[in-house]
Amino acid sequence: MASGNKSRKMVRQSRALGIALTPKAERYMQRRPYRPGEHGRGRTKDSDYSVRLKEKQRLRAQYGIRESQMRKVWNEARREDGLAGENLVELLEMRLDALVLRAGFARTILQARQVVSHSHILVDGKKVNLPSYRVKPGQVVQVKPKSQASPQFMVAAQGAHRDVLPKVPEYLDVDLEKLKFSLSRRPKRSEVPVEANVQLIVEYYSR
């Protein structure tokens, strides 16, 4: 029952934000492409603040992180050289759970976080169970050998999640059969497969 409630919550959140956060939500939204609630089908004009807030929430939901985590990365992003909004997405994309998802080891960001937090992942041969761990270029990530024989990873190694995931981005070198990948370089915002108007997010945090 708990998983069913979580699934329904993700569908509702997806409809509210206008972006499919799970494969089930995507199927549902194709049938009912409007926001939940009695005003979902009507046209409502959002304030500038609500538009920016929603865009920030959309990005946060795609990485499945708390606001405190998002703000911490934002503070780091704006101290870096370059455009703060692009830096934000690039830094978020280097999270271990995000890259586990991109590589095809999981089907959703929630599953990817569980894979990491349940100690199934090695980084350069050492166990890492923090989903927020930032992978560095050159590091090798793989599913722990003892875990590779489990059904969930055997399915992943056969490419079963590729039907719902975007194409593997060029900043990852993936050997799916061996359940291993490396981050070849820092991702570029234009390559990261998330939907986000970073300018609106910058405006939200800069208000």
Side-chain angles (χ1 to χ4, degrees):
M1 182 64 71
S3 62
N5 290 338
K6 183 178 288 290
S7 179
R8 285 192 293 273
K9 180 181 179 182
M10 292 298 286
V11 169
R12 186 168 182 84
Q13 183 182 15
S14 295
R15 291 174 62 203
L17 295 175
I19 184 169
L21 300 173
T22 64
K24 181 178 180 180
E26 183 168 2
R27 293 193 299 270
Y28 192 95
M29 290 172 68
Q30 288 174 352
R31 298 196 305 269
R32 304 181 69 179
Y34 47 83
R35 294 186 300 180
E38 59 180 314
H39 302 298
R41 296 174 191 250
R43 293 184 178 180
T44 57
K45 180 164 175 51
D46 296 326
S47 67
D48 289 344
Y49 171 78
S50 64
V51 168
R52 293 167 184 151
L53 172 63
K54 181 177 179 180
E55 199 62 27
K56 185 266 299 182
Q57 290 175 322
R58 278 162 54 95
L59 180 60
R60 187 163 68 87
Q62 288 173 83
Y63 285 101
I65 59 176
R66 299 186 301 275
E67 175 60 27
S68 59
Q69 294 173 299
M70 180 89 153
R71 189 171 285 275
K72 180 179 179 181
V73 179
W74 161 251
N75 287 334
E76 183 178 354
R78 64 190 179 92
R79 291 194 298 267
E80 288 192 341
D81 293 336
L83 300 175
E86 295 190 359
N87 291 340
L88 173 63
V89 174
E90 292 167 7
L91 291 172
L92 288 172
E93 184 66 9
M94 294 165 74
R95 286 174 55 98
L96 180 56
D97 56 355
L99 295 179
V100 163
L101 175 65
R102 303 286 182 248
F105 297 179
R107 199 169 179 84
T108 65
I109 192 64
L110 178 59
Q111 287 181 5
R113 182 178 305 108
Q114 290 174 339
V115 163
V116 176
S117 61
H118 291 173
S119 300
H120 293 301
I121 297 295
L122 303 177
V123 179
D124 287 344
K126 297 179 180 179
K127 183 174 67 177
V128 176
N129 60 5
L130 291 175
S132 62
Y133 176 89
R134 183 171 298 155
V135 180
K136 301 178 184 66
Q139 288 190 308
V140 176
V141 179
Q142 68 180 122
V143 175
K144 191 168 60 176
K146 285 186 178 179
S147 300
Q148 291 189 17
S150 70
Q152 75 178 96
F153 292 119
M154 290 178 69
V155 165
Q158 294 168 5
H161 304 324
R162 294 262 61 96
D163 62 321
V164 298
L165 297 176
K167 181 181 177 182
V168 175
E170 292 189 4
Y171 44 86
L172 285 185
D173 293 323
V174 180
D175 187 337
L176 195 55
E177 289 186 4
K178 294 183 179 179
L179 293 170
K180 179 168 65 174
F181 70 85
S182 62
L183 180 65
S184 58
R185 56 175 171 76
R186 175 168 167 149
K188 298 176 183 176
R189 165 63 191 110
S190 60
E191 303 171 297
V192 177
V194 295
E195 294 184 29
N197 182 327
V198 293
Q199 181 56 39
L200 291 177
I201 297 170
V202 170
E203 291 171 2
Y204 173 84
Y205 280 122
S206 300
R207 70 194 192 285

